[in-house]
Amino acid sequence: MIPAPFEYVAAASAAHALDLLGEHGDDAKVLAGGHSLLPMMKLRLAAPEVLIDIGRLTELSGITSDGDELVIGAMTRHAELAASALVRRGAPLLAHAAAQVGDPQIRHRGTIGGSLAHADPAADLPMALVALGGSVELRGPAGVRTVGADEFFTGYFETVLEPDELLAAVRVPSRPGQPWGYQKFTRRANDWAIVGAAAAGGRIALANMGPVPVRALAAEQAAAGGASPAEAAELAAEGTSPGEDIHADRAFRQHLARVLTRRALEHQRH
Amino acid sequence: MQVNLTVNGKPRSDDVEPRLLLVHYLRERLGLRAANVGCDTTSCGACTVLLDGESVKSCTVLTAQAAGQEVTTAEGLGDGDTLSPVQAAFRQEHGLQCGFCTPGMVMAATGLLAENPHPTETQVREGLEGNFCRCTGYHNIVRAVLAAAEAGGRDPAGDPATATAAATAGPGQSAEAAQ
């Protein structure tokens, strides 16, 4: 499979990438690791006229501490995130989630910014960001705005990112020692979650239970009110309306959400 | 567009279409046919090569993205008639059946051992999660990777002089193409 022709520009800096986005707008797509975009282009589900490659921008890579938050450059690869001592200490759920993405080859290429901007509700990192209550830094012509995880995702493969904006960095709270749970149900190696559940700090996020990674709010409230993990998890599918596909119908997904939430709450790590 | 990169130690400068995938560049432009196109959807791993020492699926990398980087294919392993430790271990442990997945398996294993020289069996199995063997010959493949790790960079057969590059040439792979 071969993508439709496009113009390729290697951005020299984040500012250059923003200029190019301003110039080309909707006709352009940002290329990070390319492990969501290139498969879609090969299938001709996406056919951007211009690809803006940010893959060499070291200014968009790397992980630092900023007060009680970790700041993760958009170009940080999954393998780097999974191995980072800072992330493993301050946000181990995120390091664990990164290690669940695809397979080693995919983790060598895929990036946190690319995964979040792609916004697949079945993917690991969007669910992790919502579970952690993190945020994203969106850089645009007017400056930087920070958007919380609960507001960033708006629909299947849709976010609040404007065509002239670049997802530059990701922020997550650093909470060493905070218990966390992560459950991902798949039937094949290196697959997306049929349903996933992630819990940390009183928040519970679900993957593939709707068009965006959703919070299990009823279960969160029950747990906060003293309910046992099993009791709280019974409410995990409240208000969800998951899609149906060859892997699971709606009732099975809702069943999985309850089971995986219970396991995420019962089997917490530090 | 002009792309400068290094392939198996040799500097290259080629005019390519931006949409040219790395696997097609290697196979069709350079005649390096070890990396196979299997699923073409980032799943099977038959097209695995090393990019700056890290395993990647070359069906999902643009040639342009590899500019300035070092690509290693199975043709670039070993040295003349001497197999690399991983290649020799695959030969020793019969880590292949039809051979289609083998170049990708060998490259994924080479990348895995570079990152983790002494993996457990579980780590080998997880480390090869991105490579499918439709002959289901995983048992011997895992044994081969463990044998290569055990040998610690030497030929597990103990006699590198007897190992030949032809022993692991997969279907369509040409030893000459590497030259």
mmCIF file of all heavy atoms in Angstrom, chain A residues 16-54:
data_model
loop_
_atom_site.group_PDB
_atom_site.id
_atom_site.type_symbol
_atom_site.label_atom_id
_atom_site.label_comp_id
_atom_site.label_asym_id
_atom_site.label_seq_id
_atom_site.Cartn_x
_atom_site.Cartn_y
_atom_site.Cartn_z
ATOM 1 N N HIS A 16 8.847 27.069 13.112
ATOM 2 C CA HIS A 16 8.725 26.802 11.681
ATOM 3 C C HIS A 16 7.503 25.917 11.401
ATOM 4 O O HIS A 16 6.738 26.163 10.452
ATOM 5 C CB HIS A 16 10.009 26.133 11.178
ATOM 6 C CG HIS A 16 10.035 25.885 9.710
ATOM 7 N ND1 HIS A 16 10.657 24.783 9.155
ATOM 8 C CD2 HIS A 16 9.502 26.570 8.672
ATOM 9 C CE1 HIS A 16 10.506 24.811 7.842
ATOM 10 N NE2 HIS A 16 9.811 25.888 7.518
ATOM 11 N N ALA A 17 7.316 24.907 12.253
ATOM 12 C CA ALA A 17 6.152 24.027 12.078
ATOM 13 C C ALA A 17 4.857 24.829 12.190
ATOM 14 O O ALA A 17 3.915 24.617 11.420
ATOM 15 C CB ALA A 17 6.184 22.898 13.117
ATOM 16 N N LEU A 18 4.821 25.771 13.131
ATOM 17 C CA LEU A 18 3.619 26.606 13.292
ATOM 18 C C LEU A 18 3.403 27.494 12.072
ATOM 19 O O LEU A 18 2.264 27.681 11.622
ATOM 20 C CB LEU A 18 3.737 27.461 14.549
ATOM 21 C CG LEU A 18 3.449 26.752 15.862
ATOM 22 C CD1 LEU A 18 3.703 27.691 17.036
ATOM 23 C CD2 LEU A 18 2.015 26.253 15.884
ATOM 24 N N ASP A 19 4.503 28.057 11.524
ATOM 25 C CA ASP A 19 4.382 28.865 10.302
ATOM 26 C C ASP A 19 3.785 28.030 9.172
ATOM 27 O O ASP A 19 2.906 28.483 8.435
ATOM 28 C CB ASP A 19 5.764 29.384 9.869
ATOM 29 C CG ASP A 19 6.255 30.502 10.787
ATOM 30 O OD1 ASP A 19 5.427 31.047 11.547
ATOM 31 O OD2 ASP A 19 7.462 30.816 10.746
ATOM 32 N N LEU A 20 4.298 26.799 9.049
ATOM 33 C CA LEU A 20 3.819 25.926 7.981
ATOM 34 C C LEU A 20 2.346 25.576 8.193
ATOM 35 O O LEU A 20 1.560 25.527 7.240
ATOM 36 C CB LEU A 20 4.667 24.654 7.923
ATOM 37 C CG LEU A 20 6.109 24.847 7.445
ATOM 38 C CD1 LEU A 20 6.967 23.627 7.788
ATOM 39 C CD2 LEU A 20 6.125 25.090 5.926
ATOM 40 N N LEU A 21 1.957 25.340 9.446
ATOM 41 C CA LEU A 21 0.550 25.044 9.737
ATOM 42 C C LEU A 21 -0.316 26.248 9.400
ATOM 43 O O LEU A 21 -1.428 26.099 8.874
ATOM 44 C CB LEU A 21 0.381 24.665 11.209
ATOM 45 C CG LEU A 21 0.781 23.241 11.586
ATOM 46 C CD1 LEU A 21 0.774 23.061 13.101
ATOM 47 C CD2 LEU A 21 -0.161 22.222 10.940
ATOM 48 N N GLY A 22 0.192 27.443 9.709
ATOM 49 C CA GLY A 22 -0.556 28.653 9.385
ATOM 50 C C GLY A 22 -0.736 28.822 7.892
ATOM 51 O O GLY A 22 -1.777 29.279 7.422
ATOM 52 N N GLU A 23 0.297 28.422 7.169
ATOM 53 C CA GLU A 23 0.272 28.571 5.704
ATOM 54 C C GLU A 23 -0.663 27.556 5.057
ATOM 55 O O GLU A 23 -1.416 27.884 4.148
ATOM 56 C CB GLU A 23 1.706 28.382 5.190
ATOM 57 C CG GLU A 23 1.905 28.596 3.711
ATOM 58 C CD GLU A 23 3.357 28.319 3.316
ATOM 59 O OE1 GLU A 23 4.250 28.378 4.213
ATOM 60 O OE2 GLU A 23 3.598 28.022 2.147
ATOM 61 N N HIS A 24 -0.624 26.302 5.537
ATOM 62 C CA HIS A 24 -1.343 25.226 4.850
ATOM 63 C C HIS A 24 -2.650 24.821 5.524
ATOM 64 O O HIS A 24 -3.485 24.165 4.894
ATOM 65 C CB HIS A 24 -0.444 24.001 4.706
ATOM 66 C CG HIS A 24 0.790 24.248 3.887
ATOM 67 N ND1 HIS A 24 0.740 24.404 2.512
ATOM 68 C CD2 HIS A 24 2.083 24.392 4.235
ATOM 69 C CE1 HIS A 24 1.961 24.630 2.056
ATOM 70 N NE2 HIS A 24 2.801 24.628 3.076
ATOM 71 N N GLY A 25 -2.794 25.147 6.827
ATOM 72 C CA GLY A 25 -4.054 24.867 7.514
ATOM 73 C C GLY A 25 -4.495 23.424 7.405
ATOM 74 O O GLY A 25 -3.715 22.506 7.641
ATOM 75 N N ASP A 26 -5.741 23.253 7.018
ATOM 76 C CA ASP A 26 -6.358 21.939 6.968
ATOM 77 C C ASP A 26 -5.734 21.001 5.942
ATOM 78 O O ASP A 26 -5.955 19.793 5.990
ATOM 79 C CB ASP A 26 -7.854 22.093 6.640
ATOM 80 C CG ASP A 26 -8.713 21.871 7.875
ATOM 81 O OD1 ASP A 26 -8.179 21.319 8.861
ATOM 82 O OD2 ASP A 26 -9.903 22.246 7.835
ATOM 83 N N ASP A 27 -4.992 21.569 4.977
ATOM 84 C CA ASP A 27 -4.370 20.717 3.957
ATOM 85 C C ASP A 27 -3.146 19.995 4.483
ATOM 86 O O ASP A 27 -2.619 19.099 3.827
ATOM 87 C CB ASP A 27 -3.942 21.566 2.740
ATOM 88 C CG ASP A 27 -5.146 22.179 2.041
ATOM 89 O OD1 ASP A 27 -6.240 21.584 2.149
ATOM 90 O OD2 ASP A 27 -4.991 23.233 1.400
ATOM 91 N N ALA A 28 -2.681 20.395 5.677
ATOM 92 C CA ALA A 28 -1.445 19.829 6.208
ATOM 93 C C ALA A 28 -1.735 18.923 7.406
ATOM 94 O O ALA A 28 -2.741 19.076 8.099
ATOM 95 C CB ALA A 28 -0.504 20.947 6.653
ATOM 96 N N LYS A 29 -0.874 17.956 7.605
ATOM 97 C CA LYS A 29 -0.897 17.145 8.817
ATOM 98 C C LYS A 29 0.503 17.148 9.399
ATOM 99 O O LYS A 29 1.501 17.176 8.669
ATOM 100 C CB LYS A 29 -1.304 15.698 8.520
ATOM 101 C CG LYS A 29 -2.778 15.503 8.208
ATOM 102 C CD LYS A 29 -3.679 15.734 9.403
ATOM 103 C CE LYS A 29 -3.777 14.497 10.284
ATOM 104 N NZ LYS A 29 -4.744 14.743 11.404
ATOM 105 N N VAL A 30 0.549 17.107 10.729
ATOM 106 C CA VAL A 30 1.837 17.035 11.416
ATOM 107 C C VAL A 30 2.248 15.568 11.517
ATOM 108 O O VAL A 30 1.449 14.715 11.906
ATOM 109 C CB VAL A 30 1.734 17.660 12.821
ATOM 110 C CG1 VAL A 30 3.020 17.433 13.608
ATOM 111 C CG2 VAL A 30 1.424 19.143 12.704
ATOM 112 N N LEU A 31 3.484 15.289 11.122
ATOM 113 C CA LEU A 31 4.027 13.925 11.202
ATOM 114 C C LEU A 31 4.963 13.863 12.397
ATOM 115 O O LEU A 31 5.974 14.563 12.442
ATOM 116 C CB LEU A 31 4.782 13.588 9.913
ATOM 117 C CG LEU A 31 5.476 12.234 9.865
ATOM 118 C CD1 LEU A 31 4.464 11.088 9.846
ATOM 119 C CD2 LEU A 31 6.392 12.130 8.642
ATOM 120 N N ALA A 32 4.605 13.017 13.379
ATOM 121 C CA ALA A 32 5.507 12.823 14.523
ATOM 122 C C ALA A 32 6.193 11.472 14.329
ATOM 123 O O ALA A 32 7.115 11.350 13.535
ATOM 124 C CB ALA A 32 4.724 12.908 15.823
ATOM 125 N N GLY A 33 5.710 10.416 15.017
ATOM 126 C CA GLY A 33 6.267 9.080 14.770
ATOM 127 C C GLY A 33 5.646 8.413 13.555
ATOM 128 O O GLY A 33 6.208 7.486 12.979
ATOM 129 N N GLY A 34 4.452 8.884 13.187
ATOM 130 C CA GLY A 34 3.806 8.373 11.971
ATOM 131 C C GLY A 34 3.123 7.031 12.138
ATOM 132 O O GLY A 34 2.685 6.440 11.151
ATOM 133 N N HIS A 35 3.007 6.539 13.381
ATOM 134 C CA HIS A 35 2.469 5.185 13.504
ATOM 135 C C HIS A 35 0.954 5.115 13.608
ATOM 136 O O HIS A 35 0.387 4.023 13.700
ATOM 137 C CB HIS A 35 3.170 4.441 14.636
ATOM 138 C CG HIS A 35 4.399 3.757 14.103
ATOM 139 N ND1 HIS A 35 5.315 4.422 13.324
ATOM 140 C CD2 HIS A 35 4.822 2.480 14.177
ATOM 141 C CE1 HIS A 35 6.249 3.566 12.970
ATOM 142 N NE2 HIS A 35 5.988 2.399 13.455
ATOM 143 N N SER A 36 0.303 6.247 13.576
ATOM 144 C CA SER A 36 -1.144 6.267 13.344
ATOM 145 C C SER A 36 -1.429 6.892 11.984
ATOM 146 O O SER A 36 -2.264 6.399 11.223
ATOM 147 C CB SER A 36 -1.852 7.077 14.433
ATOM 148 O OG SER A 36 -1.655 6.501 15.695
ATOM 149 N N LEU A 37 -0.695 7.965 11.672
ATOM 150 C CA LEU A 37 -0.975 8.705 10.439
ATOM 151 C C LEU A 37 -0.570 7.917 9.178
ATOM 152 O O LEU A 37 -1.352 7.842 8.212
ATOM 153 C CB LEU A 37 -0.235 10.049 10.484
ATOM 154 C CG LEU A 37 -0.408 10.955 9.270
ATOM 155 C CD1 LEU A 37 -1.873 11.256 9.012
ATOM 156 C CD2 LEU A 37 0.375 12.258 9.450
ATOM 157 N N LEU A 38 0.629 7.341 9.173
ATOM 158 C CA LEU A 38 1.063 6.653 7.943
ATOM 159 C C LEU A 38 0.179 5.460 7.596
ATOM 160 O O LEU A 38 -0.180 5.289 6.418
ATOM 161 C CB LEU A 38 2.543 6.255 8.038
ATOM 162 C CG LEU A 38 3.536 7.423 8.047
ATOM 163 C CD1 LEU A 38 4.972 6.932 8.201
ATOM 164 C CD2 LEU A 38 3.409 8.267 6.780
ATOM 165 N N PRO A 39 -0.228 4.619 8.570
ATOM 166 C CA PRO A 39 -1.174 3.553 8.204
ATOM 167 C C PRO A 39 -2.468 4.105 7.603
ATOM 168 O O PRO A 39 -3.008 3.520 6.653
ATOM 169 C CB PRO A 39 -1.425 2.839 9.537
ATOM 170 C CG PRO A 39 -0.159 3.053 10.307
ATOM 171 C CD PRO A 39 0.272 4.454 9.943
ATOM 172 N N MET A 40 -2.960 5.224 8.134
ATOM 173 C CA MET A 40 -4.193 5.801 7.565
ATOM 174 C C MET A 40 -3.942 6.341 6.160
ATOM 175 O O MET A 40 -4.808 6.262 5.294
ATOM 176 C CB MET A 40 -4.702 6.921 8.475
ATOM 177 C CG MET A 40 -5.230 6.386 9.804
ATOM 178 S SD MET A 40 -5.925 7.688 10.829
ATOM 179 C CE MET A 40 -7.476 7.983 9.987
ATOM 180 N N MET A 41 -2.736 6.883 5.945
ATOM 181 C CA MET A 41 -2.416 7.398 4.605
ATOM 182 C C MET A 41 -2.229 6.250 3.618
ATOM 183 O O MET A 41 -2.598 6.363 2.446
ATOM 184 C CB MET A 41 -1.170 8.275 4.671
ATOM 185 C CG MET A 41 -1.413 9.607 5.381
ATOM 186 S SD MET A 41 0.086 10.565 5.653
ATOM 187 C CE MET A 41 0.626 10.854 3.966
ATOM 188 N N LYS A 42 -1.675 5.137 4.090
ATOM 189 C CA LYS A 42 -1.507 3.980 3.199
ATOM 190 C C LYS A 42 -2.867 3.422 2.777
ATOM 191 O O LYS A 42 -3.034 2.956 1.662
ATOM 192 C CB LYS A 42 -0.671 2.908 3.895
ATOM 193 C CG LYS A 42 0.806 3.299 4.006
ATOM 194 C CD LYS A 42 1.573 2.364 4.900
ATOM 195 C CE LYS A 42 1.745 0.999 4.264
ATOM 196 N NZ LYS A 42 2.559 0.116 5.143
ATOM 197 N N LEU A 43 -3.829 3.468 3.704
ATOM 198 C CA LEU A 43 -5.182 3.005 3.386
ATOM 199 C C LEU A 43 -5.993 4.078 2.663
ATOM 200 O O LEU A 43 -7.151 3.878 2.337
ATOM 201 C CB LEU A 43 -5.912 2.597 4.676
ATOM 202 C CG LEU A 43 -5.375 1.349 5.377
ATOM 203 C CD1 LEU A 43 -5.927 1.237 6.793
ATOM 204 C CD2 LEU A 43 -5.712 0.102 4.569
ATOM 205 N N ARG A 44 -5.368 5.247 2.457
ATOM 206 C CA ARG A 44 -6.008 6.412 1.826
ATOM 207 C C ARG A 44 -7.223 6.902 2.621
ATOM 208 O O ARG A 44 -8.130 7.516 2.069
ATOM 209 C CB ARG A 44 -6.416 6.105 0.370
ATOM 210 C CG ARG A 44 -5.270 5.511 -0.478
ATOM 211 C CD ARG A 44 -4.425 6.561 -1.121
ATOM 212 N NE ARG A 44 -3.255 5.994 -1.792
ATOM 213 C CZ ARG A 44 -2.907 6.242 -3.042
ATOM 214 N NH1 ARG A 44 -3.624 7.062 -3.774
ATOM 215 N NH2 ARG A 44 -1.818 5.691 -3.561
ATOM 216 N N LEU A 45 -7.221 6.578 3.926
ATOM 217 C CA LEU A 45 -8.223 7.180 4.803
ATOM 218 C C LEU A 45 -7.834 8.621 5.109
ATOM 219 O O LEU A 45 -8.666 9.423 5.522
ATOM 220 C CB LEU A 45 -8.339 6.388 6.112
ATOM 221 C CG LEU A 45 -8.870 4.970 5.970
ATOM 222 C CD1 LEU A 45 -8.729 4.204 7.281
ATOM 223 C CD2 LEU A 45 -10.337 4.990 5.538
ATOM 224 N N ALA A 46 -6.551 8.916 4.957
ATOM 225 C CA ALA A 46 -6.057 10.287 5.086
ATOM 226 C C ALA A 46 -5.204 10.577 3.867
ATOM 227 O O ALA A 46 -4.473 9.703 3.396
ATOM 228 C CB ALA A 46 -5.237 10.456 6.361
ATOM 229 N N ALA A 47 -5.333 11.765 3.333
ATOM 230 C CA ALA A 47 -4.547 12.145 2.157
ATOM 231 C C ALA A 47 -4.167 13.620 2.254
ATOM 232 O O ALA A 47 -4.590 14.451 1.440
ATOM 233 C CB ALA A 47 -5.329 11.861 0.873
ATOM 234 N N PRO A 48 -3.371 13.964 3.258
ATOM 235 C CA PRO A 48 -2.962 15.369 3.388
ATOM 236 C C PRO A 48 -2.095 15.795 2.212
ATOM 237 O O PRO A 48 -1.370 14.977 1.640
ATOM 238 C CB PRO A 48 -2.155 15.388 4.687
ATOM 239 C CG PRO A 48 -1.692 13.988 4.881
ATOM 240 C CD PRO A 48 -2.753 13.107 4.286
ATOM 241 N N GLU A 49 -2.204 17.067 1.862
ATOM 242 C CA GLU A 49 -1.384 17.561 0.746
ATOM 243 C C GLU A 49 0.031 17.856 1.201
ATOM 244 O O GLU A 49 0.969 17.813 0.406
ATOM 245 C CB GLU A 49 -2.021 18.820 0.147
ATOM 246 C CG GLU A 49 -3.311 18.508 -0.598
ATOM 247 C CD GLU A 49 -3.997 19.766 -1.110
ATOM 248 O OE1 GLU A 49 -3.324 20.811 -1.205
ATOM 249 O OE2 GLU A 49 -5.207 19.690 -1.384
ATOM 250 N N VAL A 50 0.160 18.180 2.479
ATOM 251 C CA VAL A 50 1.483 18.535 3.014
ATOM 252 C C VAL A 50 1.699 17.784 4.326
ATOM 253 O O VAL A 50 0.803 17.747 5.181
ATOM 254 C CB VAL A 50 1.579 20.053 3.285
ATOM 255 C CG1 VAL A 50 2.961 20.421 3.823
ATOM 256 C CG2 VAL A 50 1.252 20.847 2.029
ATOM 257 N N LEU A 51 2.865 17.181 4.456
ATOM 258 C CA LEU A 51 3.247 16.581 5.729
ATOM 259 C C LEU A 51 4.340 17.441 6.357
ATOM 260 O O LEU A 51 5.369 17.700 5.726
ATOM 261 C CB LEU A 51 3.803 15.165 5.535
ATOM 262 C CG LEU A 51 2.850 13.982 5.577
ATOM 263 C CD1 LEU A 51 3.647 12.689 5.718
ATOM 264 C CD2 LEU A 51 1.850 14.106 6.702
ATOM 265 N N ILE A 52 4.102 17.858 7.589
ATOM 266 C CA ILE A 52 5.089 18.659 8.312
ATOM 267 C C ILE A 52 5.740 17.749 9.348
ATOM 268 O O ILE A 52 5.112 17.374 10.345
ATOM 269 C CB ILE A 52 4.402 19.866 8.996
ATOM 270 C CG1 ILE A 52 3.691 20.715 7.933
ATOM 271 C CG2 ILE A 52 5.423 20.689 9.778
ATOM 272 C CD1 ILE A 52 2.750 21.747 8.519
ATOM 273 N N ASP A 53 6.983 17.372 9.076
ATOM 274 C CA ASP A 53 7.674 16.396 9.924
ATOM 275 C C ASP A 53 8.338 17.113 11.098
ATOM 276 O O ASP A 53 9.240 17.932 10.909
ATOM 277 C CB ASP A 53 8.724 15.646 9.089
ATOM 278 C CG ASP A 53 9.352 14.488 9.850
ATOM 279 O OD1 ASP A 53 9.015 14.298 11.036
ATOM 280 O OD2 ASP A 53 10.185 13.776 9.245
ATOM 281 N N ILE A 54 7.865 16.810 12.310
ATOM 282 C CA ILE A 54 8.480 17.392 13.514
ATOM 283 C C ILE A 54 9.407 16.385 14.192
ATOM 284 O O ILE A 54 9.833 16.572 15.324
ATOM 285 C CB ILE A 54 7.413 17.900 14.507
ATOM 286 C CG1 ILE A 54 6.493 16.743 14.945
ATOM 287 C CG2 ILE A 54 6.583 19.032 13.907
ATOM 288 C CD1 ILE A 54 5.602 17.120 16.134
#
